[in-house]
Amino acid sequence: MPKIVSAKVIVTCPGRNFVTLKITCDDGTTGVGDATLNGRELAVASYLADHVVPCLIGRDAHRIEDIWQYLYKGAYWRRGPVTMTAIAAVDMALWDIKGKLAGLPVYQLLGGASREGVMVYGHANGTSIEDTVNVALEYQAQGYKAIRLQCGVPGMASTYGVSKDKYFYEPADADLPTENVWSTSKYLRVVPELFKAAREALGWDVHLLHDIHHRLTPIEAGRLGSDLEAYRPFWLEDATPAENQEAFRLIRQHTTAPLAVGEIFNSIWDAKDLIENQLIDYIRATVVHAGGITHLRRIAALADLYQVRTGCHGATDLSPVCMAAALHFDLSVPNFGIQEYMRHTPETDAVFPHAYTFADGMMHPGDAPGLGVDIDEDLAAQYEYKRAFLPVNRLEDGTLHSW
């Protein structure tokens, strides 16, 4: 058996913070797992180093399911983003090791490819509708078949999803949380105009997506969905906070626009009612925050029973290790829908050399054994951790609002 002899937690900041777990077996085989939780990175690093790593030493690295259950059930304090991100890092690293020992890419261990490639969507954003549409046209020219649209809201100094750089976006922007001002009424007026302009410029052969980021009430979300139906959105993401899963039933009563949610979910229980009642069309849970490949496959299997497809979160706060793991997952599951793809900076790509590729709107994890990604520890050590928080939002009267 491949026995685990060491596990180290690596924190690095090549433009933004990443936490990586590297497991080594007695035969020298190594595996890596992403453990990044945006804005709370050191909480997971401590959880791993202080509470998980000591429990891994001496275990059989092939026993992925048993180790997953041990870390989940054995902690007594189940679920939560910190715990599930830590478990995910271990899980990814063990799948990486298993693939290397088998001489196969991980997707082959998951049953093989269910498609030739993974459709991804890029992020088009701008301070105005015109700016956003121009960026979307650039993405379309690069071969993207799906594009997310976000634009500035007139009268608002800043807007979620709108960055100074049209390709690289990092929402965790300050040593202490930035406080932005938000107006729902102004936002609801501009989004239909954005989609109208985008359809006129891009045509109907490209999928258009939009992220609301939990900022609307169910009835407001239903109204926006109804206003956008004529433009056939691929999905409306995170229309309202999902702690109350029944809220999506109210949205469903008012729009046929497809709904996606789940990037902040960390277990199957967060999504169970939404899936079983077919209140969503896409589940956005991701490998790193939902317990790894092992647990995300369970979520996908449940979703498949109810014709709900996957649409994994893929922002730049997920390291290339998670992106690689997501692509292996995406390529293998039968109910794949789409994968978010935000490009990492050249500095991040250098720290995390990887085999995955992009071409003609699709990505592929590559055929290197394991996950096909690694971490350059010497290079990673050159980038020290920098505390960074996600912003918060207040309404114009000062009331704290959803992020």
Side-chain angles (χ1 to χ4, degrees), residues 183-200:
S183 168
T184 297
S185 60
K186 293 174 183 176
Y187 164 78
L188 288 174
R189 289 197 297 269
V190 75
V191 177
E193 294 302 315
L194 170 63
F195 268 72
K196 179 182 179 181
R199 276 293 176 222
E200 290 174 351

Side-chain angles (χ1 to χ4, degrees), residues 215-286:
R215 296 192 179 187
L216 300 181
T217 65
I219 201 66
E220 290 168 343
R223 185 190 312 152
L224 178 61
S226 178
D227 289 344
L228 295 181
E229 285 175 12
Y231 309 112
R232 295 292 187 270
F234 184 89
W235 77 29
L236 297 182
E237 177 188 343
D238 292 343
T240 196
E243 287 92 342
N244 174 19
Q245 297 185 23
E246 279 294 306
F248 281 76
R249 191 181 304 279
L250 183 56
I251 302 174
R252 277 287 203 224
Q253 292 171 358
H254 294 277
T255 183
T256 59
L259 302 175
V261 76
E263 72 177 57
I264 65 171
F265 289 178
N266 56 74
S267 86
I268 197 169
W269 301 104
D270 295 321
K272 175 181 175 292
D273 291 348
L274 289 169
I275 291 171
E276 290 182 341
N277 292 299
Q278 295 179 296
L279 300 180
I280 58 173
D281 303 279
Y282 296 89
I283 178 64
R284 295 262 298 141
T286 192

Side-chain angles (χ1 to χ4, degrees), residues 15-17 38-39 41 169-174 387-391 403:
R16 64 109 42 240
N17 294 314
N38 200 358
E41 295 89 355
Y169 174 58
E170 174 49 58
D173 61 358
R387 188 174 70 185
F389 284 90
L390 294 167
W403 191 83

Side-chain angles (χ1 to χ4, degrees), residues 286-297:
T286 192
V287 178
V288 65
H289 299 143
I293 293 172
T294 297
H295 193 63
L296 194 58
R297 291 179 77 202

Side-chain angles (χ1 to χ4, degrees), residues 329-342:
F329 166 84
D330 295 334
L331 198 64
S332 65
V333 293
N335 56 324
F336 167 76
I338 199 169
Q339 170 67 52
E340 182 178 19
Y341 175 46
M342 290 182 68

Side-chain angles (χ1 to χ4, degrees), residues 51-72:
H51 305 292
V52 173
V53 167
C55 299
L56 296 176
I57 306 305
R59 295 190 177 275
D60 181 354
H62 271 323
R63 298 183 64 172
I64 298 175
E65 181 65 40
D66 182 66
I67 291 174
W68 195 98
Q69 296 293 338
Y70 175 82
L71 294 176
Y72 181 79

Side-chain angles (χ1 to χ4, degrees), residues 164-183:
K164 296 179 181 179
D165 190 299
K166 61 186 177 183
Y167 290 124
F168 303 106
Y169 174 58
E170 174 49 58
D173 61 358
D175 185 60
L176 290 173
T178 301
E179 295 196 9
N180 297 322
V181 178
W182 175 255
S183 168

